[in-house]
Amino acid sequence: MTKAIRITRNGGPEVMEYVDVELGQPGPGEALVRHAACGLNYIDVYFRTGLYKQPLPAGLGMEGAGTVEAVGEGVTHVKPGDRVAYAGRPPGAYAEARTMPAAFLVKLPDSISFETAAAMMLQGYTVEYLFNRTFPLKGGETILFHAAAGGVGLIACQWAKAIGVTVIGTVGSDEKAAVAKAHGCAHVINYKTENFVERVKEITGGRGVPVVYDSIGADTFTGSLDCLSPLGMMVSFGSASGPVPAFTLNELANRGSLYITRPTLFSHITKRETLESMAANLFAMVESGKVKIEINQRYALKDVAQAHIDLESRKTTGSTILLP
């Protein structure tokens, strides 16, 4: 038996239960991983509340790091004893150990700790595909990145600075503004005290930005469109404040023939070669020291409800991990 978090219904943090589960041997294409640390991400809230659907009862958690204990038939890229990390479906990382699809596992360099890996895989992969694949940045651009002091945001600010990109970031407090600034965000806007559209126009001399990366959703969507220069791209990759409201295509036309996309990590990592390329790019950034992973919150796995409360109330900065 092993301990894991399970939900039998959707709802608030109270629906998560810390229970004993039986782990079978890994089947074909699977691996048994003993976690040293698990990651906490906003997507976990979406699955918990039912915004993202999955059959119940179910586990939660999309990323972790640990040691392979056993592999099933056909698994050759990892073996028992390997240090590994992952981000991927199905949810179930909130556990001491789990049997999971081995296709999402990548070997972890010795220079990167389990805790760092658990804090960075999903968020780091996200920045990698946003910057290298969704709207490829070449250097010299000025971009708008919402939630700049969050886990994805702090990685994005550092990554952007490393490749010569200027970040305008939004945050919800002066304390978070200081954190974002310290991690390479050139212009920080506190959206609670400033109009971020007006500030973006002021910073860019009225031109706007070529791309907005927005994980907030409902609260920032229209304003984000207003920050774009003609032919700019709106990248909506999350819904922390709720789903984006319905809009017509004329909204894009009226603002200068804008583009919009709603990418997901999981569309990118279905191909093994893409996954390995993304992991290599992420590991290289972290090993170089250009991107430092800030683990600002640690919770025991059994205290996951409090972790969700703090995450949803936007009390957290940087990355959060759960320790089995």
Side-chain angles (χ1 to χ4, degrees), residues 276-293:
E276 290 182 350
S277 172
M278 292 171 66
N281 290 338
L282 173 59
F283 292 158
M285 273 289 183
V286 173
E287 288 182 301
S288 72
K290 294 175 181 175
V291 170
K292 294 179 172 62
I293 305 303

Side-chain angles (χ1 to χ4, degrees), residues 90 95 251 263 309:
E251 296 287 339
I309 291 169

Side-chain angles (χ1 to χ4, degrees), residues 6-27:
R6 292 288 184 267
I7 60 171
T8 57
R9 58 192 173 91
N10 296 121
E14 72 281 355
V15 304
M16 295 181 289
E17 300 178 67
Y18 185 61
V19 298
D20 291 312
V21 297
E22 190 80 44
L23 285 182
Q25 286 300 304

Side-chain angles (χ1 to χ4, degrees), residues 259-298:
Y259 295 85
I260 188 167
T261 184
R262 179 58 173 90
T264 70
L265 169 62
F266 308 107
S267 298
H268 288 82
I269 62 176
T270 54
K271 289 186 178 180
R272 182 72 198 179
E273 61 184 288
T274 304
L275 172 63
E276 290 182 350
S277 172
M278 292 171 66
N281 290 338
L282 173 59
F283 292 158
M285 273 289 183
V286 173
E287 288 182 301
S288 72
K290 294 175 181 175
V291 170
K292 294 179 172 62
I293 305 303
E294 299 286 344
I295 304 174
N296 292 339
Q297 298 81 213
R298 290 174 170 83

Side-chain angles (χ1 to χ4, degrees), residues 208-229:
V209 294
V211 60
V212 176
Y213 297 102
D214 187 345
S215 63
I216 303 301
D219 289 352
T220 52
F221 180 73
T222 301
S224 292
L225 294 180
D226 290 336
C227 289
L228 285 165
S229 56

